[in-house]
Amino acid sequence: MRNAKRFFAGSVPHLRITLNRLRTIALSPSVVRLFKYQKQKQLLMEAAASEWEKTNLVFTNAKGGILSYRTVYDCFMRIVKKMDCSKLRFHDLRHQYVVIAIKNGDDIKTIQGNLGHATAAFTLDVYGHVTEEMKRDSADRMENYMQALSES
C-alpha cells in the first residue's frame, strides 16, 4: 500500500492503491477507524519530529519515510508469537482473507478485484480448494432442503 490514497465513493470509504495499475477496494468501518487513529498518531509523530518527509504514506517511520521490511516483519512476528501461531507467514494473511471472504459469500469477481488478480479464473485456480468445500456444504444444504420438503 505504498501509494495508497483514501477517498470516498458515495457513503462507502475506499482505498485507491496504485502500483502497476489502479485498484480500488472498499474499506470496512473498523478499518476506516484504524486508519483515522493511525492518522492521529502520524500527526503527533510529525509534530515531534525535527524533520518530516511528506510521503503521503499510511504507515511511516518516525520521520515520515517508508517503513523498512525488517520493521514490518519484526512487528508481524511479535504479533504472531503472542497469538501462538509461530508457523504463520505474512503472505498467509492474504490467503486467509480469500478463504474467509469466499466462505462468507463474497463473489469471486470482488475478491479478484481486491487481490489485483488479472482474471477471476486465476483467483479460482489458486483458491479452488475452498470452493470444493463449499460444494460439499451446498450439497448438504440441498439435502436438508429436500428432507424438509419430504417431511411437509
Side-chain angles (χ1 to χ4, degrees):
M1 295 198 323
R2 184 173 181 191
N3 295 317
K5 294 188 179 171
R6 202 167 49 104
F7 70 98
F8 291 85
S11 62
V12 180
H14 286 67
L15 188 67
R16 180 170 286 162
I17 301 171
T18 55
L19 298 171
N20 294 338
R21 60 179 180 252
L22 188 63
R23 179 167 25 134
T24 302
I25 58 173
L27 301 175
S28 69
S30 61
V31 171
V32 171
R33 283 192 301 276
L34 287 171
F35 277 12
K36 286 180 179 179
Y37 173 74
Q38 177 62 24
K39 181 64 175 174
Q40 293 305 311
K41 278 180 57 178
Q42 212 170 45
L43 289 172
L44 293 172
M45 287 168 54
E46 182 177 0
S50 57
E51 52 186 72
W52 186 261
E53 185 180 346
K54 294 260 186 212
T55 55
N56 246 357
L57 298 173
V58 176
F59 299 97
T60 64
N61 63 25
K63 294 183 178 181
I66 297 170
L67 288 171
S68 72
Y69 165 82
R70 193 74 210 181
T71 299
V72 175
Y73 178 79
D74 289 346
C75 180
F76 175 74
M77 293 311 292
R78 282 193 304 274
I79 293 167
V80 165
K81 187 176 180 181
K82 283 182 186 176
M83 293 172 52
D84 197 27
C85 297
S86 60
K87 295 188 183 202
L88 187 68
R89 298 166 302 158
F90 195 80
H91 193 74
D92 293 339
L93 298 176
R94 182 178 170 93
H95 178 79
Q96 282 302 112
Y97 156 75
V98 175
V99 170
I100 292 166
I102 290 173
K103 285 185 176 183
N104 283 294
D106 285 7
D107 66 275
I108 203 67
K109 283 299 284 181
T110 299
I111 296 168
Q112 170 219 333
N114 286 345
L115 294 174
H117 290 164
T119 65
F122 178 81
T123 304
L124 284 169
D125 286 345
V126 173
Y127 299 102
H129 64 282
V130 176
T131 57
E132 290 302 318
E133 182 181 331
M134 291 173 65
K135 286 178 187 177
R136 286 192 302 277
D137 292 344
S138 176
D140 291 343
R141 284 191 302 275
M142 186 55 69
E143 177 66 19
N144 292 336
Y145 175 76
M146 291 171 44
Q147 292 288 334
L149 279 178
S150 66
E151 292 171 3
S152 50

